[in-house]
Amino acid sequence: MAISLNCGPMEQMNGVAPIAAELLQRLREISHAFCVAEGGSHGPDHSERVLSAALSLGRQLQARLDILVPAALLHDIGRREESLSRGQVCHARRGAELAAPLLRELQYSEADLEAICHCIRSHRFRSGAAPATLEAQILFDADKLDSIGAVGIGRAFLFAGQIGARLHNPELDPAATTSYSQEDTAYREFRIKMSRVREQMLTPAGKRMAEERHAFMETFFDQLTRETHGFFP
């Protein structure tokens, strides 16, 4: 899936020079090389959707799209190392470390490089650096939006299938189950993580979109419980 920046070769994006087609292609190649290795719910299609959401939010909020584009495409390049370490490696911090020399090779200035790496480093924002710039906040929201709603549900089932989890287990207390187990279902992901995303959003537009997607998830899992447990009218 290719995302258009919707700008011609001489058009300006929010007052800054647009990314050249050659640079965009190179960023995509780098992103896809890392993300294909990870695959599944964090494959190249995830980064492309995050890019699309980041551009939409960025245009609304008049952010620097030339910072958002590389940040979105490279935000998960550390994900494979986190997966291999079973969570011991933070993919956000590692991704920023991996991105820095790559961005230098692409001749980004040190100031822009740091702005991009800050977006990558803070997009997870659990115990580390908080998103301190508008672009970092937008990337955070764009990434979280891809974890909820219809896409989020699909990704949760994809991950559950990868690890051999059950289809549905609403009869169990999610807090009493463990990750990477047969009980690490899409429903568990919803109750433990996805249901809390709307409270974490940082931009007004992101918050509105998260509320809409949250409502859909509630409806979906209610219907799934009815169908799998025989609660028919």
Side-chain angles (χ1 to χ4, degrees):
M1 177 178 65
I3 304 296
S4 170
L5 293 180
N6 294 326
C7 56
M10 300 301 293
E11 187 178 347
Q12 296 289 301
M13 297 190 302
N14 294 324
V16 299
I19 287 183
E22 296 81 2
L23 177 56
L24 178 60
Q25 179 61 29
R26 182 65 186 129
L27 287 166
R28 278 203 167 103
E29 290 171 355
I30 294 170
S31 172
H32 288 203
F34 280 96
C35 294
V36 163
E38 171 65 5
S41 60
H42 288 95
D45 56 330
H46 166 65
S47 292
E48 292 287 352
R49 288 192 304 270
V50 170
L51 171 59
S52 180
L55 288 173
S56 176
L57 291 171
R59 290 188 180 104
Q60 293 180 54
L61 299 173
Q62 297 186 319
R64 286 190 59 182
L65 303 188
D66 60 330
I67 297 297
L68 278 174
V69 171
L73 286 173
L74 302 181
H75 81 282
D76 265 353
I77 62 175
R79 174 67 68 171
R80 182 60 174 165
E81 293 190 30
E82 180 175 291
S83 297
L84 292 174
S85 72
R86 287 292 181 114
Q88 296 302 305
V89 172
C90 172
H91 77 273
R93 287 196 298 270
R94 183 56 181 149
E97 293 170 356
L98 292 169
L102 296 171
L103 292 168
R104 286 192 182 96
E105 288 181 13
L106 296 174
Q107 300 184 333
Y108 276 90
S109 70
E110 286 300 312
D112 285 355
L113 181 152
E114 178 49 40
I116 296 164
C117 287
H118 171 69
C119 291
I120 297 171
R121 191 182 303 113
S122 63
H123 85 269
R124 193 182 189 205
F125 183 31
R126 291 187 180 177
S127 58
T133 65
L134 175 60
E135 289 74 24
Q137 292 171 358
I138 289 171
L139 178 62
F140 179 90
D141 280 8
D143 185 49
K144 297 301 173 287
L145 284 169
D146 203 57
S147 71
I148 58 176
V151 169
I153 291 170
R155 291 178 67 207
F157 277 106
L158 179 60
F159 177 76
Q162 286 179 292
I163 63 172
R166 297 167 57 193
L167 174 68
H168 196 37
N169 57 350
E171 70 280 0
L172 299 180
D173 177 5
T177 59
T178 58
S179 59
Y180 291 93
S181 71
Q182 190 182 42
E183 301 303 341
D184 196 2
T185 62
Y187 181 76
R188 178 183 185 275
E189 181 75 4
F190 170 61
R191 285 301 173 203
I192 289 181
K193 297 180 183 179
M194 297 159 70
S195 63
R196 301 174 182 175
V197 168
R198 62 176 175 170
E199 303 166 359
Q200 302 168 1
M201 305 302 285
L202 301 176
T203 69
K207 290 177 182 177
R208 289 194 298 272
M209 295 170 70
E211 287 291 345
E212 293 176 3
R213 297 189 184 198
H214 181 89
F216 175 80
M217 293 190 299
E218 291 280 8
T219 299
F220 175 87
F221 282 107
D222 179 65
Q223 180 69 16
L224 181 62
T225 298
R226 295 177 65 85
E227 292 184 11
T228 56
H229 287 67
F231 302 146
F232 300 109

